[in-house]
């Protein structure tokens, strides 16, 4: 099992940047794939970015491509989401997810473990 704790959310003006951090417990986190999802009020949780176990492969939603970067440091059991050029429509609760399989996963149904989320609010 693995437990996930997100941090780094907050209030930022449009055009600003934030870096979200997902800290994982467990010694075998390097064997887990990971992803970031977000959920805005009244909307379904949607995929943002995913990374494979080693960090050698990533994938992004169209809305995140070119602005967000997912990365990981397996020595620190941590996954990051660097968000640049933020827009008001990026406002949501951001969730970190992980799963024991090694390859990329883009669907929320493919993840077994979830953090509690961190709020990101982008003002115009």
């Amino acid at each position: 099992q693995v437990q996930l704790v997100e941090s780094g959310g907050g209030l930022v003006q449009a055009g600003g940047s934030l870096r979200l951090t997902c800290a994982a417990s467990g010694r075998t986190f390097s064997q887990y794939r990971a992803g970031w999802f977000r959920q805005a009020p009244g909307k379904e949780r949607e995929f943002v970015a995913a990374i494979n176990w080693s960090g050698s492969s990533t994938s992004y939603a169209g809305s995140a491509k070119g602005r967000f970067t997912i990365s990981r440091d397996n020595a620190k059991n941590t996954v990051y989401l660097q968000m640049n050029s933020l827009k008001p429509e990026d406002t949501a609760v951001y969730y970190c997810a992980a799963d024991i399989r090694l390859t990329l996963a883009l669907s929320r149904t493919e993840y077994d473990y979830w953090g509690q989320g961190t709020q990101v609010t982008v003002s115009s």
Side-chain angles (χ1 to χ4, degrees):
Q1 273 201 345
V2 64
Q3 292 184 326
L4 306 173
V5 178
E6 304 96 333
S7 62
L11 174 64
V12 64
Q13 288 189 331
S17 298
L18 284 174
R19 188 174 83 155
L20 305 184
T21 298
C22 174
S25 65
R27 293 176 293 176
T28 60
F29 185 65
S30 60
Q31 299 174 12
Y32 286 69
R33 61 190 177 189
W36 287 96
F37 291 75
R38 67 186 184 187
Q39 188 167 17
K43 295 188 177 181
E44 291 191 353
R45 193 170 299 187
E46 64 177 8
F47 168 74
V48 176
I51 191 166
N52 71 338
W53 68 279
S54 66
S56 63
S57 184
T58 59
S59 182
Y60 297 91
S63 59
K65 202 168 293 185
R67 299 188 300 126
F68 295 2
T69 302
I70 188 171
S71 61
R72 67 190 298 162
D73 185 341
N74 285 339
K76 296 183 178 180
N77 281 3
T78 303
V79 176
Y80 305 98
L81 185 68
Q82 177 67 44
M83 305 187 294
N84 299 328
S85 303
L86 283 162
K87 305 174 182 180
E89 50 263 44
D90 294 318
T91 295
V93 177
Y94 283 71
Y95 297 89
C96 177
D99 183 80
I100 189 66
R101 285 169 283 270
L102 302 179
T103 55
L104 287 176
L106 310 188
S107 170
R108 61 185 180 182
T109 61
E110 296 181 272
Y111 289 94
D112 291 333
Y113 303 103
W114 293 83
Q116 293 186 325
T118 185
Q119 176 71 47
V120 171
T121 304
V122 184
S123 63
S124 56

